[in-house]
Amino acid sequence: MGPLLQGDDDLHVSINIPAVDMESGCFLPGLAAAISMAGIAPAQIWLEVTERGFINVSAATKAMTMARNAGYRILVDDFGMGYSILSMLEGLPLDALKIDKSFIGAIGGDAAQSIVTPHIIAMAHELKFSIIAEGIETIDQVNYLKSANVQFGQGWLYSEALPLERFIRYYELTRLPPAGRHG
């Protein structure tokens, strides 16, 4: 992905980090070496840790702070599906919340998640986090999420998971020219 990332500062790669690695920070030196060799910016690497993965919050906070200071973005993945970190959310060095697909799938329905989703979005905005919606499958969901100022989305509506070669073709066919991008 190095050459592709080098050519587009807005493009990023998300990496799921197991809780034990986020607590220790042991992956940071290897990651720094890899991005240096690839010639990409640390901001193009988004580190995702699942909410249910937070075991030792103080240790994880230290590693997350080191990662953010190095320029990486830190996200809570599958937000709302693990044990609640709400009491710690304000103090964690986070950049974004990734709302679990069960909440996105309930948009417009009568499920309890459809009632909770706008509150998660409002809370993320209040905390100045970027928001990623997982599991987008319908245009109605896209319209709702856009109207709620959710910045990023992923899901089957856009594409299934792709091997690298197919992703590069997809990216080249669907990317906006630089003048059409929004910050």
Side-chain angles (χ1 to χ4, degrees):
M1 293 285 298
L4 195 61
L5 290 164
Q6 289 170 2
D8 186 348
D9 291 342
D10 292 332
L11 190 61
H12 70 270
V13 172
S14 289
I15 302 171
N16 289 345
I17 305 295
V20 68
D21 290 338
M22 186 56 80
E23 290 171 5
S24 72
C26 65
F27 66 95
L28 289 169
L31 181 59
I35 68 163
S36 176
M37 286 182 9
I40 61 173
Q44 291 179 281
I45 304 298
W46 294 15
L47 305 175
E48 298 184 15
V49 63
T50 59
E51 178 186 12
R52 64 181 148 252
F54 282 97
I55 298 165
N56 183 339
V57 175
S58 62
T61 300
K62 182 179 176 188
M64 291 165 70
T65 300
M66 289 172 42
R68 280 190 83 211
N69 289 342
Y72 305 110
R73 296 200 60 196
I74 310 293
L75 292 72
V76 173
D77 192 12
D78 299 331
F79 184 78
M81 297 308 295
Y83 72 84
S84 178
I85 61 166
L86 288 174
S87 63
M88 300 169 255
L89 207 50
E90 231 176 340
L92 287 171
L94 298 172
D95 295 293
L97 292 183
K98 198 169 186 183
I99 303 173
D100 187 76
K101 64 184 176 182
S102 65
F103 293 99
I104 303 308
I107 291 173
D110 292 329
Q113 287 95 336
S114 68
I115 297 166
V116 173
T117 305
H119 297 289
I120 293 172
I121 293 169
M123 177 189 61
H125 284 308
E126 196 63 31
L127 292 169
K128 310 258 187 288
F129 294 155
S130 295
I131 307 168
I132 301 107
E134 291 184 303
I136 298 173
E137 296 181 357
T138 69
I139 294 298
D140 288 339
Q141 291 167 341
V142 170
N143 292 337
Y144 174 85
L145 295 165
K146 281 184 178 180
S147 72
N149 295 315
V150 172
Q151 299 92 339
F152 301 98
Q154 67 183 63
W156 290 101
L157 180 65
Y158 304 111
S159 176
E160 74 272 10
L162 300 172
L164 179 60
E165 298 78 24
R166 284 187 54 212
F167 171 76
I168 292 171
R169 282 196 306 270
Y170 173 83
Y171 168 78
E172 289 170 346
L173 290 172
T174 60
R175 74 176 179 172
L176 295 173
R181 289 197 183 122
H182 302 302

